[in-house]
Amino acid sequence: MPDARFHPSLDLQSASFAGRLIDRVLAAVDPGRTLRARLDSVRHNHPTHILAVGKASVAMTHAAIEHLGPRFVRATVITSDEITARNQFKNKFVELLVGDHPLPAQRSLESTHKLIEHARSIPKDHHVMVLISGGTSAMLCGIESAEALEQLVAQTDQLMRAGASIHELNAMRSKLDPIKLGGLAKHLGQLKNEQIRVYLLGDVIESGEAPVESVIGSGPMWTSELEHTIIADNHTALDAMCALLASEGIGLSHIKRRATGFASDEGAQLAQALLASGDQAPCAVCLGGEPTVRVGARSGIGGPMLELAASAAVELSGADFPWTVISLATDGVDGPSGVGGAVLTHDILSDPDASGQLKSAIERHDTLGICDQLGATIRTGHTGTNVNDLALVIRWPCKSQV
């Protein structure tokens, strides 16, 4: 599990608390640990293959191989180049491949072709585990023509810039890419349903529009006959965050699940909920979900979690009590920013210019520079998991109350 790194100017107390929080959350959604917990109650008595795609595919594959022992036959694993560079398999029967993210490109097509070849070659008397996690929609791409790929990339980029939800993105992808929405399952047609097990690390927020299992990774294994098991999701992470608050003696005033609005709005509302709370300090308001940013034609560098934290901090800048804002992208990569989130405090915004700079950065969707300048950024690197985003604001007791 990666160690969170904070700016040297961030006060020790804030960095220490944020570090404990991040450790607790990432441990709760560790893909290897959570998959092992599910597999402990399942018997696998047949030779078994593994098909794994996504940001957590390496950790999930390690756990599956360990569980299967001598019943393991072969694995094809697709993940990002950053994760591939840090991981290797000693087992010669594992092929580790690279897929592109967040937009598919030639590597995704080539790696998908090899995974499909593996799927089709599985003997009729063998079994298979399919392991899917965040990033699969881009890394697994079954498009064959350059023109179709160009169309998919253009439409994906356009929707992302417009702040589209993952449901909207994956609905479009499923229309253009035959591997989506049950497409991979068709390549396992030689196997019976009971020979196939699908495990998902959930990176999709439920909306009621479609079964969440059909949306994660654009549902490459989704059929109504196949059982899908979600090993952890945003609720798991949010519950871990709340447990940490309780252990630290911080009361929970309000919790918002399934947050999918624009990041700046979600941040402002989070702060307003804290301002409206009559609970005795210390108390907190928490949020989990997948806020978005409508970038449009702007070319600033930031991400939803930076923008959410900045917006919450601006809203709290006039508060008459000490406060802390923490935001985290659980995969360690907040949009194109390269950071995992932010920690902002009342002390950081004690300079009147800071609030104005944050406002301007939010309007330009260019929050990385100012968050770095203020010493607020969190750096974890790629965490090897992905269950969307978390944020919280905390009201601390005034010194006169301590």
Side-chain angles (χ1 to χ4, degrees), residues 49 59 85 96 125 249 351:
H49 298 245
L96 182 58
D125 58 342
D351 182 347

Side-chain angles (χ1 to χ4, degrees), residues 219-273:
M221 290 297 297
W222 179 249
T223 74
S224 58
E225 296 82 16
L226 277 178
E227 181 180 353
H228 286 53
T229 301
I230 297 176
I231 61 172
D233 58 13
N234 191 252
H235 297 299
T236 313
L238 196 52
D239 290 345
M241 184 165 72
C242 293
L244 184 280
L245 293 174
S247 70
E248 300 268 345
I250 300 171
L252 183 60
S253 297
H254 179 70
I255 181 170
K256 180 176 182 179
R257 298 180 185 268
R258 306 178 184 89
T260 57
F262 290 124
S264 57
D265 295 338
E266 295 285 6
Q269 292 166 16
L270 194 69
Q272 290 161 8

Side-chain angles (χ1 to χ4, degrees), residues 339-369:
V339 302
V343 181
L344 286 158
T345 70
H346 66 290
D347 285 338
I348 291 176
L349 260 68
S350 60
D351 182 347
D353 291 338
S355 180
Q357 290 174 317
L358 283 174
K359 284 182 181 178
S360 177
I362 293 168
E363 292 171 359
R364 302 191 315 271
H365 303 300
D366 191 25
T367 46
L368 177 61

Side-chain angles (χ1 to χ4, degrees), residues 309-345:
S311 180
V314 168
E315 197 73 20
L316 290 169
S317 59
D320 59 357
F321 55 82
W323 50 266
T324 298
V325 177
I326 302 174
S327 66
L328 177 68
T330 58
D331 63 355
V333 184
D334 183 33
S337 69
V339 302
V343 181
L344 286 158
T345 70

